[in-house]
Amino acid sequence: MAKTLDQQTIYAAALELIDREGTFSLAQLASHLGVRAPSLYTHVPNKEAIVEGVRHLVVAGIDHTPFALTPWPEALSAWARSYLAAFAAHPHAIRLPAAAPVRTGALLRQYEAAVGCLLRAGWPDHEVMHVITAVESYVLGAALSGAPAVPADGDYPLLTRVLTGPAVRVHDGFEAGLTALLAGFAQRLAALEGDP
Protein backbone atom coordinates (compact mmCIF):
# COMPACT_ATOMS: atom_id res chain seq x y z
CA MET A 1 0.00 0.00 0.00
CA ALA A 2 1.37 3.39 -0.99
CA LYS A 3 2.23 5.87 1.75
CA THR A 4 1.02 9.45 1.59
CA LEU A 5 3.94 11.30 0.06
CA ASP A 6 5.57 14.46 1.27
CA GLN A 7 9.20 15.49 1.50
CA GLN A 8 9.73 14.27 5.07
CA THR A 9 8.23 10.85 4.26
CA ILE A 10 10.53 10.55 1.24
CA TYR A 11 13.61 11.55 3.24
CA ALA A 12 12.79 9.16 6.08
CA ALA A 13 12.22 6.30 3.63
CA ALA A 14 15.52 7.04 1.89
CA LEU A 15 17.30 6.94 5.25
CA GLU A 16 15.64 3.57 6.00
CA LEU A 17 17.01 2.22 2.72
CA ILE A 18 20.47 3.65 3.39
CA ASP A 19 20.48 2.07 6.85
CA ARG A 20 19.42 -1.28 5.43
CA GLU A 21 21.12 -1.40 2.01
CA GLY A 22 23.92 1.12 2.30
CA THR A 23 22.54 3.25 -0.52
CA PHE A 24 19.38 3.87 -2.50
CA SER A 25 18.19 4.48 -6.02
CA LEU A 26 15.07 6.38 -6.99
CA ALA A 27 13.53 3.14 -8.24
CA GLN A 28 14.23 1.41 -4.91
CA LEU A 29 12.87 4.37 -2.99
CA ALA A 30 9.67 4.49 -5.04
CA SER A 31 9.18 0.75 -4.57
CA HIS A 32 9.81 1.08 -0.83
CA LEU A 33 7.13 3.77 -0.67
CA GLY A 34 4.72 1.78 -2.86
CA VAL A 35 4.64 4.35 -5.66
CA ARG A 36 6.14 4.80 -9.12
CA ALA A 37 9.36 6.81 -9.43
CA PRO A 38 7.77 9.76 -11.27
CA SER A 39 5.54 10.33 -8.23
CA LEU A 40 8.61 11.35 -6.24
CA TYR A 41 9.21 14.33 -8.52
CA THR A 42 5.98 15.93 -7.37
CA HIS A 43 7.69 16.48 -4.03
CA VAL A 44 11.44 16.58 -4.70
CA PRO A 45 13.31 17.87 -7.76
CA ASN A 46 16.03 15.20 -7.93
CA LYS A 47 18.10 12.65 -6.03
CA GLU A 48 20.49 15.33 -4.78
CA ALA A 49 17.59 17.00 -2.96
CA ILE A 50 16.78 13.68 -1.29
CA VAL A 51 20.41 13.26 -0.24
CA GLU A 52 20.26 16.75 1.29
CA GLY A 53 17.05 15.83 3.10
CA VAL A 54 18.57 12.63 4.46
CA ARG A 55 21.67 14.50 5.53
CA HIS A 56 19.45 16.97 7.38
CA LEU A 57 17.68 14.13 9.22
CA VAL A 58 20.97 12.69 10.42
CA VAL A 59 22.71 15.91 11.45
CA ALA A 60 19.65 17.56 13.00
CA GLY A 61 20.29 15.51 16.15
CA ILE A 62 23.84 16.80 16.59
CA ASP A 63 24.04 19.27 19.47
CA HIS A 64 26.04 22.39 18.65
CA THR A 65 24.83 24.52 21.58
CA PRO A 66 28.11 24.01 23.52
CA PHE A 67 29.84 26.28 21.01
CA ALA A 68 27.96 29.23 22.48
CA LEU A 69 28.27 28.12 26.10
CA THR A 70 31.67 26.59 26.79
CA PRO A 71 35.36 27.13 25.93
CA TRP A 72 36.44 25.74 22.57
CA PRO A 73 38.06 22.46 23.72
CA GLU A 74 35.00 21.45 25.75
CA ALA A 75 32.66 22.62 22.99
CA LEU A 76 34.50 20.61 20.32
CA SER A 77 34.57 17.58 22.60
CA ALA A 78 30.81 17.72 23.27
CA TRP A 79 30.09 18.33 19.56
CA ALA A 80 32.29 15.38 18.58
CA ARG A 81 30.45 13.03 20.94
CA SER A 82 27.07 14.18 19.67
CA TYR A 83 28.27 13.92 16.06
CA LEU A 84 29.51 10.38 16.72
CA ALA A 85 26.18 9.34 18.22
CA ALA A 86 24.27 10.67 15.20
CA PHE A 87 26.41 8.89 12.63
CA ALA A 88 26.94 5.72 14.67
CA ALA A 89 23.15 5.33 14.47
CA HIS A 90 23.33 5.64 10.65
CA PRO A 91 26.85 4.55 9.62
CA HIS A 92 25.99 4.15 5.93
CA ALA A 93 25.02 7.82 5.86
CA ILE A 94 28.65 8.74 6.48
CA ARG A 95 29.20 8.75 2.73
CA LEU A 96 26.58 11.47 2.32
CA PRO A 97 28.81 14.42 3.29
CA ALA A 98 31.17 13.49 0.45
CA ALA A 99 28.40 12.91 -2.07
CA ALA A 100 27.53 16.57 -2.65
CA PRO A 101 28.41 20.02 -1.34
CA VAL A 102 26.94 20.73 2.09
CA ARG A 103 23.89 22.95 1.74
CA THR A 104 21.64 21.76 4.54
CA GLY A 105 20.94 24.50 7.03
CA ALA A 106 21.29 22.17 10.04
CA LEU A 107 24.93 21.44 9.24
CA LEU A 108 25.76 24.97 8.08
CA ARG A 109 24.42 26.34 11.40
CA GLN A 110 26.74 23.93 13.21
CA TYR A 111 29.72 25.06 11.18
CA GLU A 112 28.80 28.70 11.82
CA ALA A 113 28.61 28.06 15.58
CA ALA A 114 31.92 26.16 15.56
CA VAL A 115 33.67 28.85 13.54
CA GLY A 116 32.39 31.56 15.89
CA CYS A 117 33.59 29.66 18.95
CA LEU A 118 37.06 29.09 17.51
CA LEU A 119 37.44 32.68 16.30
CA ARG A 120 36.44 34.01 19.74
CA ALA A 121 39.11 31.74 21.24
CA GLY A 122 41.79 33.36 19.10
CA TRP A 123 42.15 30.83 16.29
CA PRO A 124 43.19 32.62 13.08
CA ASP A 125 40.77 32.47 10.17
CA HIS A 126 43.06 30.28 8.07
CA GLU A 127 43.29 27.62 10.82
CA VAL A 128 39.63 27.34 11.81
CA MET A 129 38.44 24.90 9.15
CA HIS A 130 41.54 22.75 9.69
CA VAL A 131 40.42 22.20 13.28
CA ILE A 132 36.80 21.53 12.38
CA THR A 133 37.53 19.14 9.52
CA ALA A 134 40.13 17.25 11.58
CA VAL A 135 37.58 16.66 14.34
CA GLU A 136 34.92 15.71 11.79
CA SER A 137 37.24 13.28 10.04
CA TYR A 138 38.14 11.66 13.34
CA VAL A 139 34.48 11.33 14.35
CA LEU A 140 33.36 9.86 11.02
CA GLY A 141 36.24 7.39 11.05
CA ALA A 142 35.34 6.38 14.59
CA ALA A 143 31.70 5.87 13.61
CA LEU A 144 32.81 3.39 10.95
CA SER A 145 35.34 1.52 13.02
CA GLY A 146 35.22 -1.07 15.73
CA ALA A 147 37.69 -3.27 17.51
CA PRO A 148 38.95 -6.28 15.55
CA ALA A 149 37.56 -9.67 16.50
CA VAL A 150 39.61 -11.78 18.87
CA PRO A 151 41.57 -14.22 16.66
CA ALA A 152 40.36 -17.81 16.91
CA ASP A 153 43.83 -19.30 16.56
CA GLY A 154 47.02 -18.59 18.44
CA ASP A 155 48.77 -16.80 15.60
CA TYR A 156 48.28 -13.31 17.05
CA PRO A 157 49.10 -13.58 20.77
CA LEU A 158 49.76 -9.87 21.34
CA LEU A 159 46.55 -8.83 19.62
CA THR A 160 44.62 -11.47 21.57
CA ARG A 161 46.15 -10.21 24.83
CA VAL A 162 45.10 -6.59 24.33
CA LEU A 163 41.67 -7.49 22.97
CA THR A 164 40.82 -9.73 25.90
CA GLY A 165 42.09 -7.34 28.56
CA PRO A 166 39.60 -5.83 31.02
CA ALA A 167 39.67 -2.29 29.62
CA VAL A 168 39.01 -2.90 25.92
CA ARG A 169 36.03 -0.78 24.89
CA VAL A 170 35.64 1.08 21.60
CA HIS A 171 34.20 4.08 23.46
CA ASP A 172 37.37 4.37 25.54
CA GLY A 173 39.45 4.41 22.38
CA PHE A 174 37.35 7.22 20.94
CA GLU A 175 37.72 9.27 24.11
CA ALA A 176 41.49 8.71 24.25
CA GLY A 177 41.88 9.78 20.63
CA LEU A 178 39.64 12.80 21.04
CA THR A 179 41.58 13.91 24.11
CA ALA A 180 44.87 13.57 22.24
CA LEU A 181 43.52 15.43 19.21
CA LEU A 182 42.26 18.35 21.28
CA ALA A 183 45.47 18.48 23.32
CA GLY A 184 47.41 18.73 20.07
CA PHE A 185 45.20 21.58 18.93
CA ALA A 186 45.67 23.37 22.26
CA GLN A 187 49.44 23.16 21.71
CA ARG A 188 48.97 24.40 18.16
CA LEU A 189 46.97 27.43 19.32
CA ALA A 190 49.53 28.21 22.00
CA ALA A 191 52.28 28.09 19.38
CA LEU A 192 50.31 30.35 17.04
CA GLU A 193 49.71 32.86 19.81
CA GLY A 194 53.44 32.80 20.58
CA ASP A 195 54.41 33.68 17.00
CA PRO A 196 55.45 37.30 16.55
Side-chain angles (χ1 to χ4, degrees):
M1 182 171 140
K3 296 182 181 180
T4 302
L5 286 188
D6 58 33
Q7 286 183 342
Q8 291 308 309
T9 301
I10 292 169
Y11 302 155
L15 182 55
E16 288 173 11
L17 284 174
I18 290 167
D19 285 344
R20 191 176 72 211
E21 308 291 337
T23 188
F24 75 97
S25 68
L26 292 178
Q28 288 173 311
L29 180 57
S31 176
H32 185 61
L33 289 165
V35 300
R36 296 179 59 211
S39 301
L40 299 175
Y41 293 114
T42 305
H43 306 280
V44 292
N46 51 41
K47 185 174 180 178
E48 288 72 28
I50 298 171
V51 167
E52 251 337 87
V54 169
R55 183 184 292 167
H56 178 83
L57 288 178
V58 175
V59 303
I62 301 172
D63 182 14
H64 65 277
T65 57
F67 288 122
L69 304 172
T70 58
W72 72 268
E74 290 85 350
L76 276 176
S77 183
W79 182 62
R81 289 187 195 98
S82 183
Y83 207 130
L84 177 65
F87 277 93
H90 305 285
H92 293 300
I94 289 172
R95 287 178 289 192
L96 293 180
V102 174
R103 294 188 185 93
T104 187
L107 194 50
L108 292 175
R109 281 189 293 277
Q110 292 188 32
Y111 288 142
E112 183 74 5
V115 167
C117 178
L118 293 171
L119 290 175
R120 288 190 301 274
W123 282 94
D125 288 15
H126 67 278
E127 293 275 339
V128 166
M129 288 310 297
H130 297 272
V131 175
I132 293 169
T133 55
V135 171
E136 262 190 322
S137 297
Y138 175 69
V139 167
L140 294 175
L144 282 173
S145 70
V150 176
D153 53 34
D155 290 342
Y156 308 98
L158 300 178
L159 181 60
T160 299
R161 185 176 91 193
V162 298
L163 288 175
T164 56
V168 175
R169 293 189 315 208
V170 173
H171 174 77
D172 291 341
F174 173 78
E175 289 295 326
L178 182 61
T179 298
L181 182 63
L182 294 177
F185 279 128
Q187 291 177 350
R188 172 73 177 155
L189 180 59
L192 289 168
E193 289 173 334
D195 284 347

